[in-house]
Amino acid sequence: MKGAVSSLLVPFVLLALASSLGSAFDPSPLQDFCVAINEPNDAVFVNGKFCKDPKLVNASDFFLSGLNVPGDVSNAVGSNVTAVSVNQLPGLNTLGVALVRIDYAPYGGLNPPHIHPRGTEILVVLEGTLYVGFVTSNADGNRLFAKTLNPGDVFVFPIGMIHFQLNIGKTPAVAFAGLSSQNFGLITIANAVFGSNPPINPDVLTKAFQLDKNIVEYLQKKF
């Protein structure tokens, strides 16, 4: 009898564990919608951000235009990310999704290696040819999963994994990506490591990257 009780408890324990793990991500909505608002005097609920009184919500809270406009790629990496998170579209609050448009300069436009700490990303190519990939965790041997994508192709970058996209075509490229968080976050590896404020002690980076200290100091000045 005791064994039977134990076997019955297993599914409930697993369900409890799954629930506790799930709470680490964006919470499920507690109402039909919760439009973000910056003025607390007009707010009635709190769920991640202050929420607009539902009686004052209108269609504009769920609307954003401009993703048809190419981003400026005349920068050092040759790419531009136009985000549509809760900060740009208040109606996304509590809904656990976001969107980005990514523009890449011809041949060499790069969305550098980066991490989204709070969201899985699914990317679809609209124009151009991209080489994309992500690297798994240390425990999985830091394996690289990479593909060359053409218009209509889709690739998924799991939450928290370092990933990138590189335009390997001779024409500009455009991609759209959905993310599983209203505020997915962004950590660009090179910027974070070599451009931190205040700077990381060069001795740390010299040993970590197995580089000459002069190179590390040069990279820190560059970022």
Side-chain angles (χ1 to χ4, degrees), residues 1-217:
M1 181 67 179
K2 187 178 291 185
V5 172
S6 298
S7 63
L8 286 172
L9 285 174
V10 169
F12 292 101
V13 172
L14 291 175
L15 181 61
L17 284 171
S19 298
S20 64
L21 289 172
S23 66
F25 300 96
D26 288 352
S28 297
L30 300 180
Q31 57 281 319
D32 288 344
F33 50 77
C34 179
V35 174
I37 188 170
N38 292 322
E39 178 50 63
N41 292 333
D42 295 331
V44 293
F45 303 114
V46 176
N47 188 351
K49 278 182 172 282
F50 286 109
C51 302
K52 198 173 187 179
D53 186 333
K55 295 177 182 176
L56 303 178
V57 170
N58 57 62
S60 295
D61 294 316
F62 303 95
F63 173 78
L64 183 72
S65 64
L67 285 188
N68 60 312
V69 179
D72 181 9
V73 296
S74 60
N75 50 55
V77 294
S79 71
N80 186 289
V81 178
T82 305
V84 183
S85 69
V86 67
N87 297 315
Q88 292 79 33
L89 186 57
L92 287 177
N93 198 34
T94 76
L95 300 183
V97 293
L99 178 73
V100 297
R101 170 185 171 135
I102 314 170
D103 291 276
Y104 311 83
Y107 200 77
L110 173 69
N111 192 8
H114 61 280
I115 293 170
H116 300 303
R118 294 182 294 278
T120 290
E121 176 180 345
I122 182 168
L123 179 136
V124 57
V125 178
L126 270 65
E127 301 174 13
T129 303
L130 298 178
Y131 171 70
V132 310
F134 69 88
V135 179
T136 63
S137 65
N138 294 9
D140 194 47
N142 298 128
R143 291 190 295 159
L144 170 66
F145 292 89
K147 277 280 191 182
T148 297
L149 306 184
N150 295 299
D153 290 343
V154 175
F155 200 82
V156 173
F157 306 106
I159 185 172
M161 299 291 177
I162 295 175
H163 60 285
F164 60 86
Q165 303 105 36
L166 173 69
N167 185 0
I168 59 174
K170 296 180 179 179
T171 60
V174 181
F176 277 76
L179 295 107
S180 61
S181 170
Q182 68 177 39
N183 189 13
F184 44 86
L186 173 65
I187 303 171
T188 305
I189 307 302
N191 296 57
V193 172
F194 295 106
S196 66
N197 184 21
I200 297 173
N201 187 319
D203 292 334
V204 174
L205 303 182
T206 296
K207 194 162 189 177
F209 287 92
Q210 298 293 291
L211 294 173
D212 183 272
K213 190 172 182 178
N214 290 327
I215 295 176
V216 168
E217 291 176 340

